[in-house]
Amino acid sequence: MRKVMALLLALLMSVLLLAGCGGGTKEAGTVPTVAKAQKQKNTDLVGREVEIAVPVQKVVAIGPGALRLVTYDEGTSMVVGIEEIEKKPSPGRSYMLAYPDLKKLPSIGQGGPDTAPNEESLLGVKPDVIFVCSLVDKEKADQLQAKTGIPVVVLSYGSVTSATTSFNENLYRSLSMVGTIIGKEKRAQDVVAYLKQNEKDLAERTKDVPEGDKAKVYVGAVSSKGVHGIEYTQAKYPPLVFIGAKNVVDETGKSGSLMIDKEKLISWDPDILFIDAGGYALVTDDFKKNPAFYQSLSAVKKGQVYSQIPYNNYTTNIETAFADSYYAGKIIFPQQFKDIDPIKKSDELYQFLLGKPLYAEMVRDFGGFKKLELGK
């Protein structure tokens, strides 16, 4: 009888111990999360008021640039699915280079700038919120939310070019909103402060340079939804806007990507020529066919041709655009940027925003920052 009682007592103690360990862990792991989550109304970037229990635990981000903002705010571990387009090899898409394991997540639709969200795939991964950029307007966002029953928050990069600044408040509002919803408010504040600090630093360096003393600059072969030749350029090119450089294309009064006639480039005859590395192969091929055209340009004759790393890839890779600006500053305004090592600065930008120094990846894919010798 005594042995039976001892056995029963030992069994009871084991059950109590297991309940204490397993049950205690469950209590510690789930109850605080539920207690912390509070319903909050957020006004997204198209003016919709969205109620969400924050902080969320599981997120998806669809459309050009949405996932990038989540990674900047250190929300990668909360992502439960990605678009198929994000899984494909895409040189220069820095956030995917920093977080390659994202490609192992389930697919939540094809993705891309001209596609419709896949409601069934989104429902399949059961996110707490759907962040979306570019794909939907106000009405379509309401429809997506109604069909899925999942809060939909529309984000925006805003206009990345204007006469005075290169990134507008919509981008900063989007970063802050993502941070609030995923419980990373402090990180979002730090990211916004860091971006603004770099903008200010770039502008301050050249603010006292007289306009008449600035070299004339042209950026060719700019990447935008694919690669292009020397004629494809950009007015209000952000890396040049940041440093107040004299972009000859700005005299057109336009903003954004545009195609020019080669004859126009000859008449502008820039002092310094930058070539987007994404289209550099097209430029070198064209040089072989039309060497006289290139050799007539002062920048080519004087050896003032330099690279830029493509930053347009599923919308703006912001850290690469800043890296391009610091390198351009080093070339155009050597005195004002004499303390800058463009490679170290690039890795600082990648490290802060994405947690990894990625300049070596850009060298592998695009050759990095360097002087270019056309025809050699």
Side-chain angles (χ1 to χ4, degrees):
M1 185 68 179
R2 190 175 296 170
K3 284 183 180 179
V4 173
M5 289 296 290
L7 188 60
L8 287 171
L9 184 60
L11 185 61
L12 180 62
M13 288 296 289
S14 296
V15 170
L16 288 171
L17 281 169
L18 283 170
C21 293
T25 303
K26 189 174 182 181
E27 288 287 312
T30 59
V31 173
T33 302
V34 174
K36 282 182 183 176
Q38 297 179 352
K39 287 203 171 181
Q40 184 181 95
K41 289 182 178 178
N42 295 272
T43 303
D44 71 9
L45 273 290
V46 289
R48 299 167 56 254
E49 195 173 76
V50 186
E51 187 172 75
I52 308 170
V54 299
V56 298
Q57 303 298 310
K58 298 187 294 180
V59 310
V60 292
I62 61 174
L67 183 56
R68 181 184 294 109
L69 300 185
V70 174
T71 64
Y72 283 170
D73 280 352
E74 297 181 343
T76 314
S77 63
M78 301 176 197
V79 178
V80 291
I82 67 169
E83 295 171 308
E84 198 61 36
I85 196 171
E86 300 279 26
K87 298 189 177 195
K88 296 175 181 176
S90 188
R93 195 173 297 178
S94 41
Y95 59 97
M96 293 306 295
L97 292 171
Y99 299 106
D101 284 351
L102 285 171
K103 294 185 178 184
K104 298 176 184 176
L105 293 173
S107 174
I108 53 171
Q110 180 58 40
D114 304 312
T115 59
N118 187 317
E119 291 99 349
E120 188 177 340
S121 296
L122 291 167
L123 281 167
V125 296
K126 301 176 180 175
D128 300 319
V129 65
I130 299 169
F131 292 118
V132 58
C133 205
S134 301
L135 283 189
V136 298
D137 55 18
K138 189 172 183 176
E139 183 182 352
K140 288 180 180 175
D142 286 337
Q143 290 171 358
L144 180 60
Q145 185 166 302
K147 286 180 181 177
T148 60
I150 301 166
V152 173
V153 175
V154 181
L155 308 173
S156 172
Y157 281 59
S159 170
V160 295
T161 56
S162 74
T164 54
T165 59
S166 292
F167 294 116
N168 81 8
E169 285 299 317
N170 284 344
L171 169 66
Y172 301 132
R173 280 182 58 205
S174 295
L175 283 163
S176 298
M177 187 171 298
V178 170
T180 297
I181 292 169
I182 68 174
K184 296 277 189 178
E185 295 96 332
K186 178 62 168 62
R187 169 62 182 175
Q189 289 169 9
D190 289 346
V191 170
V192 170
Y194 181 72
L195 294 177
K196 289 185 174 182
Q197 169 201 321
N198 278 283
E199 272 201 69
K200 184 180 179 183
D201 177 52
L202 287 163
E204 288 285 324
R205 288 173 179 271
T206 62
K207 68 177 184 180
D208 296 326
V209 179
E211 197 65 21
D213 292 350
K214 294 179 181 178
K216 294 186 297 179
V217 183
Y218 176 83
V219 186
V222 174
S223 297
S224 179
K225 294 184 180 179
V227 297
H228 306 277
I230 193 75
E231 307 98 323
Y232 203 78
T233 187
Q234 190 170 353
K236 300 291 188 287
Y237 178 73
L240 297 185
V241 173
F242 278 133
I243 55 176
K246 187 185 288 185
N247 181 356
V248 292
V249 187
D250 290 349
E251 75 168 43
T252 63
K254 297 180 180 179
S255 180
S257 301
L258 66 149
M259 185 79 76
I260 64 156
D261 290 329
K262 282 185 174 180
E263 295 304 314
K264 189 64 179 172
L265 183 53
I266 291 174
S267 68
W268 278 329
D269 196 24
D271 303 302
I272 299 172
L273 176 62
F274 287 99
I275 296 175
D276 185 310
Y280 182 53
L282 293 178
V283 175
T284 55
D285 285 347
D286 190 45
F287 181 93
K288 292 171 187 173
K289 297 172 188 173
N290 305 288
F293 163 73
Y294 291 91
Q295 289 164 351
S296 71
L297 298 172
S298 295
V300 175
K301 285 188 280 191
K302 295 176 181 177
Q304 295 293 297
V305 184
Y306 303 89
S307 64
Q308 287 274 274
I309 297 172
Y311 65 82
N312 283 319
N313 192 318
Y314 216 32
T315 304
T316 308
N317 289 292
I318 296 165
E319 70 297 319
T320 301
F322 273 125
D324 279 337
S325 191
Y326 275 98
Y327 178 63
K330 186 81 173 178
I331 300 302
I332 304 166
F333 304 104
Q335 190 60 31
Q336 286 75 11
F337 285 80
K338 61 184 178 182
D339 61 317
I340 292 294
D341 178 330
I343 295 172
K344 287 182 180 177
K345 183 62 184 181
S346 297
D347 271 338
E348 177 212 297
L349 287 156
Y350 290 122
Q351 182 73 49
F352 185 91
L353 291 167
L354 294 167
K356 289 182 183 177
L358 297 173
Y359 180 75
E361 306 267 8
M362 301 302 162
V363 172
R364 180 197 68 195
D365 292 339
F366 301 112
F369 294 130
K370 61 184 180 181
K371 178 179 277 196
L372 302 173
E373 295 187 37
L374 296 175
K376 292 188 179 180

